[in-house]
């Protein structure tokens, strides 16, 4: 799960772009003069060009399938690689999608006939199942496309895939993207084992309640300091690096046991001051039996990994855990393929890990997608052209490369990949605006300020994203006192009060506040209407539209329906919610002030001043407008409550505001989570499971690994820790095999209970707002989460490059949108 907002050029779900399109209102040619399209159009003597010209703040620098990291890297992969399976339009009018085959030509579940693979590769069987009755969901046979080639014409076959998987999981390389294949629902069986096969011993996460018994048995227990505190790289006053694993027996580091909880301090210095890591219900306890030799030490790939060759164009993929067919198909919308020749040539074995420079320059890249890189000017421009050896192209008499879909779109085969060239320039927002209006860019993302000007443009589209922008808090009283003493805050201790935080939420006029954002939409819940629980079988299965999910939000904001209420139905009540209730906010502020004064934490009338970790980059006028409105809302709510003036100050240029808020640098952070868009039942792991994320944003509020929650499940009270609930609906969790109704009900109860803690206040759903050039159109104007607008694959051009240049000239280089 990632915690930063993606570029508008990035793909969103299974390589679906969030870019928008609109109607062509400028006139001009709508035919493709470069090639025949199956309707009798003559092929011209000279091929015409169609350039997709976009911009970015930073070019990609590593588009290796095994180690890419940034949004720009992933964007590049969408051009130069081809997935095994993809998703495209079946019926654009009805919004129906279809699986389409790319590097694969068929995928079949063969579990029933290959039961021995479950034993051989030590798969994890679903609870209450046995190998004997597990007949599907574990072994998948993938038929590969014959004729697929690298850009130099070298064939791609089963050996290519097996080599690539072996390199991806190679324990000597520890590739960054290996976790996508050794963990999760589509993890390859044995992937984790092979990836860790050079560890002589290993750490196993344990529950807090196991600590005492294991210590009594003479076992050594550790805490993973790097993961829990995000402390990698810190040094103490003597320059000693923070160790990753620290034994809880080490009394020079840890305090004595108090109330059966290990407490203490570790001191690590950052650039400004000594960093204090405090408190003790640690969720990263680890047990390491140093006497136990890794039984799979130096295991070979062929012995333990369930991805193997059947014949030259067939491979089998055994999953570590159960995965239903559509879920596995979705996992194939990305690929792990690398070119053996360049991958090996780029290897460096001089360090502790083997690395490769594969896919970091033009010369070290080998495309197998529709485009190939032809030029790269670092920090300036990258250009791509059609890859003549891409399996989907046929060369025409004029030299152009034509591709028609193997699948039908709206009942017919249509042209795909009409774009002949892609140019990516490094530009800031101001330069991009000017270039777009001069006809030099294909798409532009307007700023918050510019949106007001272009709201009526037919070329503007606003598309919801699955990020929910929120304020998240650090509520630990002792930490807040420390922030008041040394971090520049004044009376940030008020955030320890539940009623203050609830009043904070109800004071916000979200409908007004989004007016000073980049086109965001108000949000009162942590998941918006882009989260689907059964989209493969039911395109209307939005979690947010279920009765349980709507009722949860009604419960949070105290809105009823029926009887003497203004709302006849649950949906009416839910749709009325805007999160704004100044009257209740004022009442809660008075209560909070009285409680804080009585507790000796606050003096009536004193000011409240709190730094907010707001942004990785520099603050701009829009950020300042947002925080100004927030201060107005809070002071309106605090009027007459006993609180003095409340001031939030936004802080920018923060390397990691998420970890800094959790660690007590900031009392409030601003940012977003996303994930689980097609499986919302896994969503709450990012809030409740410290083993699922590097840092829990709200780690300074609670310990979900020990705090329990009781939910009503099918009429029965069930109590588990919040961490256990977050994993109960996935993998081998207690309710992983429950029906959708049960899973939805549990998820809705979790959402309600979480929001009522007010450790995180949802503000808005982010959006992608873009304006598309008159030169081209997307295939459909109706956005669909499964295939976007048809995206670059089905993009249609209204002008060739030459015709577009003439049109721009006729407009005196100033295009009006």
């Amino acid at each position: 799960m990632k915690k930063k907002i993606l570029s508008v050029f990035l793909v969103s779900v299974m390589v679906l772009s969030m870019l928008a399109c609109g109607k062509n209102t400028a006139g001009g040619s709508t035919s493709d003069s470069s090639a025949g399209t199956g309707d009798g159009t003559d092929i011209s003597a000279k091929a015409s060009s169609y350039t997709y010209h976009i911009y970015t703040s930073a070019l990609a620098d590593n588009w290796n399938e095994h180690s890419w990291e940034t949004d720009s890297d992933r964007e590049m992969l969408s051009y130069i690689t081809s997935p095994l399976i993809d998703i495209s339009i079946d019926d654009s009018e009805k919004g129906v999608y279809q699986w389409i085959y790319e590097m694969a030509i068929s995928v079949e579940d063969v579990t029933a006939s290959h039961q021995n693979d479950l034993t051989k590769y030590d798969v994890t069987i679903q609870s209450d199942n046995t190998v004997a009755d597990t007949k599907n969901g574990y072994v998948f046979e993938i038929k590969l496309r014959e004729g697929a080639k690298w850009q130099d014409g070298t064939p791609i076959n089963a050996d290519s895939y097996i080599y690539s998987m072996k390199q991806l999981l190679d324990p000597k390389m520890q590739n960054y993207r290996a976790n996508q294949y050794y963990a999760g629902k589509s993890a390859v069986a044995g992937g984790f084992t092979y990836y860790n096969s050079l560890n002589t011993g290993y750490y196993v996460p344990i529950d807090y309640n196991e600590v005492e018994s294991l210590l009594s048995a003479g076992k050594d227990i550790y805490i993973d300091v790097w993961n829990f505190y995000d402390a990698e790289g810190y040094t103490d006053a003597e320059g000693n690096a923070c160790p990753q694993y620290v034994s809880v027996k080490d009394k020079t580091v840890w305090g004595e046991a108090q109330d059966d909880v290990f407490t203490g301090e570790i001191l690590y210095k950052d650039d400004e001051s000594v960093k204090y890591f405090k408190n003790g219900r640690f969720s990263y306890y680890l047990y390491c039996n140093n006497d136990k030799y890794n039984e799979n030490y130096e295991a070979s790939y062929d012995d333990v990994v369930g991805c193997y060759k059947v014949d030259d164009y067939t491979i089998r993929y055994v999953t570590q855990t159960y995965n239903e067919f559509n879920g596995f198909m979705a996992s194939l919308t990305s690929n792990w393929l690398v070119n053996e020749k360049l991958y090996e040539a780029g290897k460096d074995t001089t360090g502790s890990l083997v690395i490769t420079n594969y896919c970091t320059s033009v010369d070290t890249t080998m495309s197998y997608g529709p485009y190939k890189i032809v030029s790269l000017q670092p920090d300036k421009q990258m250009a791509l052209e059609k890859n003549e050896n891409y399996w989907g192209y046929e060369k025409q008499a004029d030299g152009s490369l034509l591709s028609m879909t193997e699948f039908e779109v709206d009942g017919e085969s249509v042209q795909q990949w009409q774009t002949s060239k892609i140019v990516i320039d490094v530009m800031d927002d101001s330069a991009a605006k000017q270039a777009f209006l001069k006809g030099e860019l294909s798409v532009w993302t307007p700023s918050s300020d510019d949106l007001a000007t272009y709201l009526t443009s037919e070329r503007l589209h606003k598309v919801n994203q699955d990020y929910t922008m929120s304020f998240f808090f650090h509520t630990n009283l002792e930490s807040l006192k420390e922030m008041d003493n040394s971090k520049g805050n004044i009376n940030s201790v008020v955030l320890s009060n539940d009623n203050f935080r609830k009043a904070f939420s109800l004071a916000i006029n979200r409908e007004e506040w989004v007016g000073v954002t980049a086109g965001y939409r108000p949000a009162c819940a942590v998941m918006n209407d882009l989260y689907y629980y059964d989209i493969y079988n039911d395109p209307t299965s939005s979690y947010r539209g279920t009765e349980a999910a709507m009722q949860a939000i009604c419960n949070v904001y105290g809105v009823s329906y029926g009887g003497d209420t203004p709302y006849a139905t649950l949906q009416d009540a839910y749709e009325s919610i805007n999160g704004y209730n100044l009257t209740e906010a004022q009442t809660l502020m008075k209560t909070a002030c009285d409680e804080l004064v009585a507790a000796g934490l606050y003096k009536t009338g004193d000011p409240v001043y709190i730094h907010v970790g707001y942004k990785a980059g520099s603050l701009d006028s829009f950020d300042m407008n947002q925080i100004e409105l927030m201060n107005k809302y809070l002071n309106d709510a605090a009027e007459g409550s006993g609180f003095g003036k409340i001031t939030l100050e936004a802080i920018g240029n923060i390397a990691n505001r998420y970890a800094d808020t959790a660690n007590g640098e900031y009392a409030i952070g601003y940012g977003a989570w996303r994930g689980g868009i097609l499986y919302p039942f896994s969503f709450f792991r990012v809030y409740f499971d410290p083993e699922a994320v590097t840092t829990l944003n709200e780690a300074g509020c609670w310990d979900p690994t020990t705090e329990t929650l009781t939910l009503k499940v099918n009429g029965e009270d069930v109590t588990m820790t919040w961490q256990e609930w977050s994993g109960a609906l996935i993998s081998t969790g207690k309710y992983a095999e429950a029906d959708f109704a049960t899973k939805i009900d549990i998820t809705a109860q979790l959402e309600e209970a979480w929001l009522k803690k007010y450790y995180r206040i949802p503000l808005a759903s982010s959006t992608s707002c873009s304006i598309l050039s008159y030169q081209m159109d997307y295939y459909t104007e109706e956005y669909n989460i499964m295939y976007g607008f048809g995206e670059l694959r089905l993009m249609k051009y209204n002008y060739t490059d030459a015709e577009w240049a003439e049109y721009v000239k006729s407009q005196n280089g100033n295009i009006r949108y």
Side-chain angles (χ1 to χ4, degrees):
M1 302 239 178
K2 297 185 78 171
K3 293 184 286 190
K4 74 178 194 177
I5 298 180
L6 301 184
S7 156
V8 72
F9 303 116
L10 233 324
V11 296
S12 174
V13 180
M14 294 179 293
V15 202
L16 301 180
S17 169
M18 301 298 275
L19 293 178
C21 71
K23 295 178 180 178
N24 173 34
T25 59
S29 170
T30 59
S31 64
D32 175 9
S33 60
S34 68
T37 58
D39 59 1
T41 303
D42 290 335
I43 298 174
S44 62
K46 183 178 179 181
S48 297
S49 63
Y50 301 91
T51 300
Y52 184 54
H53 202 150
I54 56 179
Y55 68 100
T56 182
S57 60
L59 291 174
D61 59 12
N62 170 30
W63 44 94
N64 178 353
E65 291 271 27
H66 296 178
S67 59
W68 67 270
E69 295 188 34
T70 70
D71 296 348
S72 295
D73 294 341
R74 187 168 69 167
E75 179 186 4
M76 188 57 52
L77 285 169
S78 71
Y79 303 136
I80 66 170
T81 69
S82 182
L84 287 154
I85 304 295
D86 208 346
I87 295 173
S88 194
I89 301 170
D90 184 359
D91 186 324
S92 61
E93 183 176 346
K94 296 179 179 179
V96 180
Y97 76 92
Q98 60 181 311
W99 295 115
I100 62 172
Y101 288 100
E102 289 280 307
M103 296 294 280
I105 59 171
S106 71
V107 178
E108 182 182 0
D109 187 332
V110 296
T111 307
S113 57
H114 292 86
Q115 291 283 292
N116 59 313
D117 279 348
L118 278 63
T119 303
K120 179 178 179 179
Y121 298 110
D122 195 24
V123 305
T124 304
I125 305 300
Q126 281 290 91
S127 58
D128 302 324
N129 281 353
T130 65
V131 172
D133 63 14
T134 304
K135 301 298 185 183
N136 59 76
Y138 291 95
V139 186
F140 299 88
E141 189 160 285
I142 303 170
K143 295 285 187 182
L144 303 172
R145 182 179 296 278
E146 296 188 38
K149 299 176 182 179
W150 296 102
Q151 73 179 61
D152 66 357
T154 302
I156 297 172
N157 54 28
D159 291 327
S160 309
Y161 282 88
I162 303 308
Y163 167 82
S164 298
M165 182 63 79
K166 185 175 182 179
Q167 297 304 306
L168 172 62
L169 298 173
D170 190 338
K172 295 179 182 178
M173 300 192 75
Q174 298 289 292
N175 279 306
Y176 182 71
R177 289 294 163 186
N179 64 344
Q180 296 180 335
Y181 291 89
Y182 70 66
K185 290 187 66 176
S186 298
V188 62
F192 183 84
T193 298
Y194 183 63
Y195 183 80
N196 290 284
S197 61
L198 293 183
N199 295 332
T200 56
Y202 47 90
Y203 292 97
V204 180
I206 59 172
D207 185 85
Y208 162 76
N209 295 316
E210 298 179 66
V211 172
E212 288 299 328
S213 61
L214 286 168
L215 284 174
S216 298
K219 305 301 183 183
D220 202 359
I221 308 301
Y222 296 78
I223 180 171
D224 185 341
V225 183
W226 288 2
N227 277 330
F228 187 71
Y229 288 122
D230 196 31
E232 182 177 4
Y234 284 111
T235 57
D236 63 18
E238 285 73 44
N240 299 311
C242 169
Q244 182 171 6
Y245 302 111
V246 176
S247 171
V248 299
K249 292 180 180 178
D250 188 347
K251 299 306 180 184
T252 64
V253 176
W254 299 101
E256 298 296 327
Q258 300 173 12
D259 299 327
D260 297 325
V261 180
F262 284 92
T263 61
E265 296 182 355
I266 315 177
L267 306 179
Y268 298 110
K269 187 161 63 174
D270 60 18
D271 293 336
E272 299 175 357
S273 61
V274 174
K275 193 117 181 158
Y276 290 82
F277 297 120
K278 296 182 176 181
N279 294 321
R281 289 191 179 272
F282 302 114
S283 54
Y284 270 87
Y285 279 121
L286 298 159
Y287 161 53
C288 179
N289 187 342
N290 293 317
D291 297 329
K292 180 177 176 61
Y293 187 75
N294 184 351
E295 61 190 18
N296 292 300
Y297 184 67
E298 292 188 332
S300 72
Y301 174 93
D302 293 339
D303 289 339
V304 298
V305 180
C307 181
Y308 61 91
K309 173 182 175 179
V310 176
D311 59 41
D312 285 347
Y313 287 95
T314 308
I315 62 174
R316 287 199 192 107
Y317 190 117
V318 185
T319 56
Q320 185 65 60
T321 58
Y322 173 82
N323 198 354
E324 59 90 26
F325 185 76
N326 282 310
F328 182 71
M329 291 285 279
S331 74
L332 300 182
T333 57
S334 58
N335 213 325
W336 65 89
L337 196 59
V338 293
N339 180 269
E340 181 174 358
K341 181 180 178 180
L342 291 182
Y343 199 90
E344 291 294 328
K347 281 187 175 180
D348 180 349
T349 61
T350 58
S352 58
L353 291 176
V354 177
I355 59 174
T356 179
N357 67 1
Y358 180 69
C359 278
T360 57
S361 67
V362 178
D363 293 338
T364 61
T365 299
M366 187 68 74
S367 170
Y368 62 97
Y371 299 95
K372 63 181 181 181
I373 305 172
V374 292
S375 67
L376 171 59
Q377 302 174 62
D379 302 321
K380 185 176 181 181
Q381 186 188 83
M382 183 178 287
L384 302 94
E385 293 179 354
K386 284 187 175 182
N387 170 18
E388 62 272 15
N389 279 313
Y390 173 61
W391 63 267
Y393 290 140
E394 290 186 7
K395 197 167 188 177
Q396 304 300 293
D398 62 358
S400 66
L401 297 171
L402 174 67
S403 183
M404 304 295 292
T405 58
E406 289 186 331
F407 54 96
E408 290 191 347
V409 181
D410 293 330
E412 62 180 351
S413 175
V414 299
Q415 185 176 359
Q416 61 180 352
W417 309 121
Q418 186 180 5
T419 299
S420 52
K421 187 173 183 179
I422 301 168
V423 177
I424 307 171
D425 280 318
V426 176
M427 293 183 181
D428 61 24
D429 292 339
S430 177
K433 176 182 178 179
Q434 296 306 313
F436 180 74
L437 296 178
K438 290 191 294 183
E440 297 170 357
L441 285 177
S442 301
V443 67
W444 169 55
T445 304
S447 67
S448 303
D449 194 38
D450 285 320
L451 273 176
T453 304
Y454 293 97
L455 278 175
T456 59
S457 173
E458 287 190 332
R459 307 299 289 178
L460 173 71
H461 277 98
K462 181 189 294 187
V463 177
N464 281 346
Q465 292 180 316
D466 54 322
Y467 286 103
T468 298
M469 305 304 301
S470 308
F471 277 148
F472 51 95
F473 300 100
H474 190 118
T475 68
N476 179 274
L477 182 57
E478 294 306 312
S479 295
L480 291 170
K481 289 179 179 178
E482 181 60 34
M483 283 184 256
D484 287 340
N485 289 332
S486 64
K487 304 297 182 184
N489 290 348
I490 302 172
N491 287 317
S492 66
V493 292
V494 299
L495 294 175
S496 67
N497 185 277
D498 295 352
N499 285 314
F500 182 90
R501 298 194 308 275
K502 182 176 181 181
F504 192 141
S505 177
L506 294 176
I508 302 169
N509 184 339
R510 292 163 175 81
E511 298 282 351
E512 179 183 43
W513 188 79
V514 297
V516 291
T517 67
Y520 293 172
R521 290 173 172 166
C524 298
V526 289
M527 282 186 277
N528 61 20
D529 57 8
L530 287 182
Y531 287 78
Y532 291 81
Y533 60 87
D534 189 27
I535 197 166
Y536 301 123
N537 301 304
D538 180 4
T540 68
S541 60
S542 168
Y543 162 74
R544 193 78 276 152
T546 65
E547 289 190 2
M550 289 191 290
Q551 186 64 62
I553 303 307
C554 286
N555 293 344
V556 169
Y557 293 95
V559 179
S560 302
Y561 66 95
D564 296 329
T565 72
Y567 312 112
T569 67
L570 170 61
Q571 185 166 345
D572 292 338
Y574 169 72
E575 290 177 351
S576 76
I577 295 171
N578 59 21
Y580 181 52
N581 189 331
L582 182 59
T583 300
E584 185 178 357
Q586 290 174 331
T587 300
L588 289 168
M589 279 288 188
K590 177 67 169 64
T591 301
C593 186
D594 292 345
E595 290 172 345
L596 289 161
V597 170
L601 297 173
Y602 177 74
K603 181 181 178 181
T604 302
D606 279 357
V608 176
Y609 185 90
I610 304 173
H611 288 144
V612 181
Y614 213 78
K615 196 174 181 181
S618 300
L619 298 177
D620 55 34
S621 60
F622 308 110
D623 301 316
M624 303 311 295
N625 289 339
Q626 291 162 21
I627 210 73
E628 181 181 346
L629 269 180
M630 205 60 65
N631 283 323
K632 175 184 180 299
Y633 300 148
L634 287 172
N635 285 288
D636 286 349
E639 185 176 352
S641 67
F643 284 115
K645 183 179 179 181
I646 301 173
T647 303
L648 305 182
E649 181 184 354
I651 306 297
N653 294 314
I654 305 172
N656 191 338
R657 63 194 184 278
Y658 301 96
D660 284 352
T661 302
N663 292 335
E665 292 294 314
Y666 298 96
I668 306 175
Y670 173 63
W673 277 116
R674 68 177 295 208
I677 192 168
L678 300 184
Y679 198 79
F681 311 126
S682 65
F683 179 81
F684 284 105
R685 292 191 72 200
V686 299
Y687 296 111
F688 309 157
D689 188 355
E691 294 173 17
V693 290
T694 301
T695 303
L696 288 180
N697 291 353
E698 301 79 11
C701 299
W702 67 328
D703 182 2
T705 70
T706 58
E707 187 173 324
T708 60
L709 174 68
T710 300
L711 301 181
K712 187 79 71 175
V713 183
N714 297 324
E716 176 186 355
D717 284 342
V718 180
T719 301
M720 291 192 283
T721 66
W722 289 74
Q723 181 188 36
E724 289 169 337
W725 277 117
S726 74
L729 307 180
I730 60 176
S731 187
T732 57
K734 185 172 182 177
Y735 298 105
E737 296 183 69
D739 57 36
F740 283 131
T742 300
K743 290 181 178 180
I744 291 167
D745 187 55
I746 291 172
T747 302
Q749 290 183 71
L750 286 174
E751 185 174 26
E752 177 183 344
W754 172 238
L755 285 171
K756 285 182 174 178
K757 281 185 170 291
Y758 295 98
Y759 292 159
R760 171 173 286 263
I761 295 175
L763 302 171
S765 292
S766 62
T767 60
S768 168
C769 298
S770 60
I771 303 178
L772 194 67
S773 165
Y774 292 121
Q775 186 183 4
M776 68 278 291
D777 282 316
Y778 286 115
Y779 180 86
T780 178
E781 296 182 4
E782 298 301 321
Y783 178 81
N784 184 286
I785 191 173
M786 297 301 281
Y787 52 71
F789 295 100
E791 310 316 302
L792 190 66
R793 174 190 293 276
L794 300 181
M795 182 179 283
K796 301 175 293 186
Y797 282 77
N798 303 313
Y799 300 85
T800 65
D801 289 344
E803 291 169 343
W804 179 244
E806 287 299 315
Y807 176 74
V808 171
K809 183 178 179 181
S810 73
Q811 302 298 305
N812 297 316
N814 183 21
I815 313 299
R816 298 180 62 85
Y817 289 93

